[in-house]
Amino acid sequence: TSAAGSTKLMPCREQPAAQDAAFISIQAFPALLDLPQDLEVSTVSCGSRHTAVVTRGGELYTWGWGKYGQLGHGTNASCDQARRVEHLVAKGLRVEEVVCGPWTTYVRV
């Protein structure tokens, strides 16, 4: 599976509470995902304002509102573009399943 560096990623930013909703675009219609071409998605889950996908290679990508750390990137930053959860890669963990709640993300490895 491709490294995260090959994706077109927007920088993630820490946002004060009043600006959180303004940073993440909320769309009421389907949107095309910009993931690396060689990634095959096996599972998708959506929370209230964030989304997570598991690839066939067992990697987790998340994006959306991250105020409560639900994206798993070790910060409260929000991201409009999919970003690989590097902590799981560093630990050598293969993701089998993901379920997003309103402000949480549950991962089975």
Side-chain angles (χ1 to χ4, degrees), residues 91-106:
K91 294 287 186 182
L93 299 173
R94 179 184 170 87
V95 177
E96 299 292 332
E97 184 178 12
V98 65
V99 176
C100 295
W103 300 294
T104 57
T105 304
Y106 302 96

Side-chain angles (χ1 to χ4, degrees), residues 1-44:
T1 309
S2 173
S6 66
T7 62
K8 295 178 184 175
L9 298 177
M10 298 294 291
C12 297
R13 299 180 233 162
E14 297 278 346
Q15 295 290 321
Q19 295 177 1
D20 275 338
F23 174 70
I24 297 299
S25 61
I26 298 174
Q27 301 175 2
F29 53 88
L32 184 64
L33 296 179
D34 187 18
L35 294 173
Q37 291 182 1
D38 57 343
L39 290 183
E40 294 182 34
V41 174
S42 62
T43 305
V44 177

Side-chain angles (χ1 to χ4, degrees), residues 70-89:
Q70 64 268 40
L71 300 182
H73 302 295
T75 68
N76 292 344
S78 296
C79 259
D80 271 333
Q81 298 294 318
R83 183 175 165 205
R84 185 170 69 172
V85 178
E86 297 298 335
H87 176 77
L88 299 172
V89 175

